[in-house]
Amino acid sequence: MSQIFQIPEGSEGLDVPVAQQNLYSHFADTLRVLRQLKGVTQLDVARGIFVARETYTGWENQRALPDEENCTALDEFFGVGAYVKNLREQCLREHVPSWFRAYVGHEATAREMRTYQPSFIPGVLQTEAYMRLIADPGPQDEENIANRLARCDILTREDDPLHLFAVIDEAALIRTRERPDVMREQLAHLLKMAALPNVHIQVTRMNAPQHPGLNGALVVLTTPELSRIGWVEAQFGGRLIQDRTETWKLSLRFDEIRGVALTEGDSLALIRHIMETIHDDRVA
């Protein structure tokens, strides 16, 4: 992608790779340039706009994008009008081509995840065998499998584990019956994870009333700053949603899906029933 925005005047000579970069990397590079031009450290900027140093560092390292309020604070701190805020708005309209690249960075630092999955077990709840079962045909990417397994650790990490609200469609629980051993292990893992105080799992029945989840999978993350980030999937990728209005609408959709789902207790009973009968009844 060619450069879309002009780097501020006076940045010549700084180590800023601007060619062939996407909007997110350009946003991060621009922050670094503005900071270098002002002659301050990351800690100085963080203190100046009243955020944690780790939060600001994440913006320069492309792990996250600041919300509108923080962008306004950055514009004031650097004295660049609405430059940072406008750049963020461009980023929000970008369709992420290498999906999960931007999303995973947010997921790793999120405090809460709300996810609805109509066809598969949510990624953070998957076993290794299940990951391999649903992978694309052909040689499997071992590095990708290892990275996906590492992502599951956010539910059991000692320091502030992710709080998960997962709604799974019944269809995802009975799919891939060609490997009943894998599915039994996967369903047993769901029951094990549901015993954690930070994990809540519900199921929507296939005969449930019409609900927004029929339009596809969705994820809503709550950041350390208590703002929300959304993610919706498509055939060849996904879209990161950071606009406040859109993330609010996505959160509302999730709540509507939960409204037609079974209670947590009934959901776990259904998962246990499917697990116990999976060998005997392929359409239970």
Side-chain angles (χ1 to χ4, degrees):
M1 180 182 293
S2 60
Q3 182 180 342
I4 296 178
F5 298 97
Q6 295 297 318
I7 292 295
E9 244 178 75
S11 62
E12 295 83 358
L14 294 177
D15 182 19
V16 184
V18 297
Q20 300 298 315
Q21 61 185 338
N22 60 44
L23 292 177
Y24 282 87
S25 64
H26 183 62
F27 184 96
D29 288 338
T30 299
L31 281 188
R32 179 161 56 87
V33 168
L34 291 172
R35 178 174 58 79
Q36 290 173 335
L37 289 174
K38 195 173 180 69
V40 295
T41 66
Q42 292 179 339
L43 180 59
D44 292 331
V45 181
R47 287 175 173 173
I49 64 172
F50 304 103
V51 300
R53 178 179 179 178
E54 292 75 14
T55 298
Y56 178 78
T57 301
W59 300 338
E60 283 200 11
N61 292 339
Q62 299 183 56
R63 290 197 303 269
L65 197 67
D67 61 21
E68 184 176 354
E69 183 178 347
N70 282 321
C71 283
T72 298
L74 287 166
D75 280 325
E76 293 176 356
F77 182 85
F78 292 125
V80 290
Y83 186 84
V84 177
K85 181 181 176 181
N86 290 336
L87 186 56
R88 173 184 180 271
E89 291 176 357
Q90 293 295 324
C91 290
L92 294 181
R93 290 193 287 269
E94 182 187 35
H95 186 88
V96 183
S98 55
W99 69 294
F100 272 164
R101 182 185 57 78
Y103 167 80
V104 171
H106 292 293
E107 182 186 84
T109 59
R111 299 182 63 177
E112 178 188 89
M113 174 191 293
R114 296 168 177 241
T115 179
Y116 169 72
Q117 294 295 332
S119 303
F120 299 100
I121 305 300
V124 293
L125 292 172
Q126 293 178 5
T127 64
E128 180 177 353
Y130 181 84
M131 291 178 188
R132 295 184 182 280
L133 181 63
I134 65 173
D136 293 332
Q140 297 196 353
D141 186 340
E142 295 300 324
E143 181 178 358
N144 181 48
I145 293 289
N147 289 337
R148 295 183 69 185
L149 286 171
R151 286 172 49 211
C152 299
D153 292 343
I154 60 178
L155 294 174
T156 55
R157 63 194 178 197
E158 293 185 7
D159 184 19
D160 193 22
L162 178 77
H163 207 110
L164 173 68
F165 294 89
V167 180
I168 310 170
D169 193 85
E170 183 181 6
L173 304 176
I174 63 176
R175 184 168 279 115
T176 61
R177 286 296 185 90
E178 69 273 13
R179 287 293 307 275
D181 57 326
V182 172
M183 286 308 298
R184 279 184 63 85
E185 178 191 39
Q186 176 61 73
L187 297 180
H189 182 66
L190 290 182
L191 296 174
K192 176 183 176 181
M193 298 306 292
L196 297 174
N198 56 304
V199 176
H200 307 271
I201 298 175
Q202 291 176 256
V203 176
T204 49
R205 299 301 302 263
M206 288 190 290
N207 62 351
Q210 186 86 4
H211 61 82
L214 299 177
N215 292 324
L218 65 87
V219 178
V220 179
L221 300 174
T222 301
T223 71
E225 295 76 38
L226 302 183
S227 61
R228 286 184 172 177
I229 294 171
W231 178 264
V232 291
E233 297 179 5
Q235 280 288 337
F236 298 105
R239 186 166 73 92
L240 203 62
I241 300 173
Q242 293 177 277
D243 177 78
R244 287 185 178 181
T245 300
E246 286 191 304
T247 55
W248 176 81
K249 289 180 179 179
L250 205 61
S251 298
L252 181 61
R253 287 193 173 194
F254 179 81
D255 289 340
E256 291 174 346
I257 296 169
R258 288 188 72 194
V260 301
L262 298 175
T263 65
E264 290 186 47
D266 289 344
S267 296
L268 298 182
L270 177 61
I271 293 172
R272 185 173 291 106
H273 171 72
I274 294 174
M275 180 186 70
E276 292 173 349
T277 61
I278 196 169
H279 286 299
D280 305 319
D281 187 354
R282 294 176 63 85
V283 294

